[in-house]
Amino acid sequence: MSLFEMSERATKYQSDLLEFMDSCVYPAEPVYESQMAESGNPHFQPPILEELKEQARKRGLWNLFHPHPEWGPGLTNLEYAPLAEIMGRSPHLAPEACNCSAPDTGNMEVFTLFGSDEHKEKYLKPLLEGTIRSAFAMTEPQVASSDATNVQLAMVKDDAAGDYVLNGRKWFASNALHQNCKVMIVMGKTDPNTAIHRQQSMMVVPMDAPGVTVMRGLPVFGYQDREGHAEIDFKDVRVPAKDVLKGEGEGFAIAQARLGPGRIHHCMRAIGMAERALELLCRRAQSRIAFGKPISDNANIRDWIAEARIDIEMIRLLTLKTAYLMDTVGNKAAQVEIAAIKVAAPNIALKIVDRAIQVHGAGGVTDDFPLAGFWAHLRTLRLADGPDEVHQRAIARQELRKYREDAR
């Protein structure tokens, strides 16, 4: 068997998921747009999504991301990669329909690894069943949150009461405005005087906890995403000590464990967006006539198509290699490859989407096609889970380390 050859079960999931996309998801896209427009609420949960979730369950296309057989099919990262790519072709519908959308996937992993029995019963179980959603609150408006040690939200222990008091503000808490969001995992600072990577902790906070105020949903390039990117104020929010995940001072370690798999999932979906953008580009270029011939007859358009195919194959192979390494040597050993795809996949997908928009002309910047939404999503992804520059810094540091060791 070749290195990236898919197992029989993975191939079956791919076939089933492709059929689900063709028969259910793509036809649901205009229905979704209509229901959202009729609601007048950007954070409305349209009935079509619940119908898609039911269809995905019936087909066994549920919790595909989860590596633990107890909760899902138990696929490896390498087996899951093509499935995430397929779902990425309709990023606002397919991942949630299959209960594989961020930030729930990362939060479910955290609850699985570090949650108490109570957390698993109260939050993990309904998340796995798709009956609730969750948010992740780490980024802050007043600090450079690309360095997680900067977080300032105060988590002050009240020994007499046996809990912690939270004060501060978060923003870009994705999913916090989703109609079904019930809980968030919050990262803050418990001890500013200890070692820098031991100052942070993560806590489980219900969305309706006293003192939690959702200030606003932040627009992204003019879009109000359905799940929302919330700015949240924490004013004397009390969190019982039992809701500290893993223990005080473990926040940074949890963040590292959580973000690696999350980054590769984002990259897999980005490849799916790039593939769909290329398909739309080719169809449009073949069908539109300008100056007496199809646009596709122009040499520059053919160059764009060829470059897109080459670029997609390159980032797909790098992503599959990363998934293979995560499966075989672990996330830490694959950190350079994880950082590399986090830079490469959004940038390459963004270029392909941009060119597809260009070929679509004025229509490309409207919501008549998915391209403008793809562009906004991918451009944001160059910042989410760490900006390009932070990942490039990490790659360069690892590369230079080899030569420092040689010098010694």
Side-chain angles (χ1 to χ4, degrees):
M1 183 165 129
S2 64
L3 186 60
F4 298 142
E5 184 180 342
M6 286 296 124
S7 65
E8 187 176 331
R9 66 171 181 170
T11 303
K12 177 69 164 59
Y13 275 113
Q14 286 180 53
S15 176
D16 291 348
L17 185 56
L18 286 167
E19 191 279 328
F20 175 60
M21 297 290 289
D22 288 337
S23 64
C24 298
V25 176
Y26 298 135
E29 288 181 338
V31 180
Y32 169 87
E33 296 297 342
S34 175
Q35 290 179 352
M36 290 299 295
E38 289 173 8
S39 75
N41 174 9
H43 310 300
F44 177 67
Q45 182 71 355
I48 189 64
L49 244 174
E50 296 304 321
E51 293 172 24
L52 286 174
K53 287 162 71 173
E54 188 60 32
Q55 287 294 326
R57 276 180 176 276
K58 286 180 180 177
R59 289 168 161 81
L61 300 171
W62 194 256
N63 292 338
L64 297 171
F65 76 96
H66 213 297
H68 303 281
E70 181 182 358
W71 307 115
L75 300 174
T76 65
N77 285 298
L78 186 59
E79 290 174 317
Y80 178 63
L83 305 181
E85 178 185 326
I86 292 167
M87 288 184 278
R89 292 171 63 90
S90 184
H92 58 308
L93 287 183
E96 183 169 352
C98 297
N99 212 36
C100 293
S101 51
D104 289 339
T105 50
N107 288 346
M108 283 188 261
E109 286 274 19
V110 169
F111 280 129
T112 300
L113 294 172
F114 309 115
S116 65
D117 289 342
E118 181 183 345
H119 293 144
K120 290 174 182 176
E121 183 63 29
K122 189 174 182 179
Y123 299 120
L124 177 60
K125 187 175 178 180
L127 280 169
L128 289 162
E129 292 171 349
T131 57
I132 69 169
R133 299 293 305 274
S134 64
F136 183 64
M138 184 176 80
T139 305
E140 297 180 3
Q142 299 302 323
V143 299
S145 304
S146 55
D147 177 359
T149 64
N150 279 339
V151 295
Q152 294 297 309
L153 182 134
M155 297 174 157
V156 180
K157 192 170 187 179
D158 183 346
D159 289 315
D163 57 19
Y164 291 80
V165 182
L166 277 54
N167 281 286
R169 185 163 293 194
K170 296 289 184 181
W171 73 344
F172 286 95
S174 296
N175 224 34
L177 288 162
H178 192 289
Q179 183 176 301
N180 299 333
C181 186
K182 302 300 180 187
V183 64
M184 56 184 152
I185 294 175
V186 182
M187 184 169 178
K189 190 161 285 189
T190 42
D191 186 354
N193 300 312
T194 190
I196 193 165
H197 291 102
R198 296 286 304 170
Q199 296 178 3
Q200 307 79 23
S201 298
M202 283 198 190
M203 300 185 185
V204 179
V205 182
M207 289 301 301
D208 61 359
V212 171
T213 304
V214 176
M215 308 294 292
R216 58 174 174 153
L218 292 151
V220 175
F221 292 105
Y223 287 91
Q224 277 283 356
D225 289 342
R226 181 170 47 83
E227 71 275 11
H229 304 287
E231 183 170 0
I232 304 175
D233 187 61
F234 294 78
K235 179 67 174 175
D236 296 329
V237 178
R238 289 194 169 267
V239 177
K242 64 183 177 60
D243 286 332
V244 179
L245 289 166
K246 197 180 179 185
E248 187 175 309
E250 297 289 346
F252 192 84
I254 295 173
Q256 295 306 106
R258 182 191 187 281
L259 293 173
R263 286 170 182 148
I264 195 170
H265 293 173
H266 279 312
C267 294
M268 294 164 182
R269 289 189 289 266
I271 297 168
M273 282 181 256
E275 278 284 11
R276 191 168 183 195
L278 177 57
E279 176 187 323
L280 291 168
L281 187 162
C282 290
R283 292 185 185 281
R284 185 78 166 188
Q286 291 275 57
S287 64
R288 302 292 276 194
I289 306 299
F291 306 105
K293 62 181 181 180
I295 295 173
S296 61
D297 282 358
N298 294 309
N300 69 315
I301 302 299
R302 294 197 170 197
D303 285 347
W304 287 0
I305 291 168
E307 288 169 14
R309 172 51 57 209
I310 293 165
D311 286 344
I312 288 172
E313 296 304 324
M314 287 195 298
I315 56 172
R316 180 181 288 122
L317 280 171
L318 181 55
T319 302
L320 290 173
K321 177 195 175 186
T322 304
Y324 171 78
L325 290 174
M326 291 170 71
D327 290 334
T328 54
V329 296
N331 297 354
K332 186 172 183 179
Q335 59 185 336
V336 168
E337 286 77 12
I338 292 171
I341 59 168
K342 181 57 177 64
V343 175
N347 274 281
I348 287 173
L350 192 61
K351 180 176 75 172
I352 294 168
V353 169
D354 188 75
R355 286 176 169 178
I357 289 172
Q358 200 71 11
V359 170
H360 280 71
V365 299
T366 71
D367 288 340
D368 286 5
F369 302 92
L371 296 167
F374 284 3
W375 191 96
H377 182 96
L378 289 164
R379 184 60 187 85
T380 307
L381 191 54
R382 289 187 56 204
L383 294 164
D385 283 358
D388 292 354
E389 293 75 13
V390 169
H391 296 297
Q392 288 172 318
R393 176 176 176 267
I395 294 166
R397 190 170 60 238
Q398 289 296 322
E399 197 69 16
L400 288 167
R401 180 172 294 171
K402 293 183 270 186
Y403 301 97
R404 286 198 300 270
E405 290 169 356
D406 285 348
R408 293 195 198 102

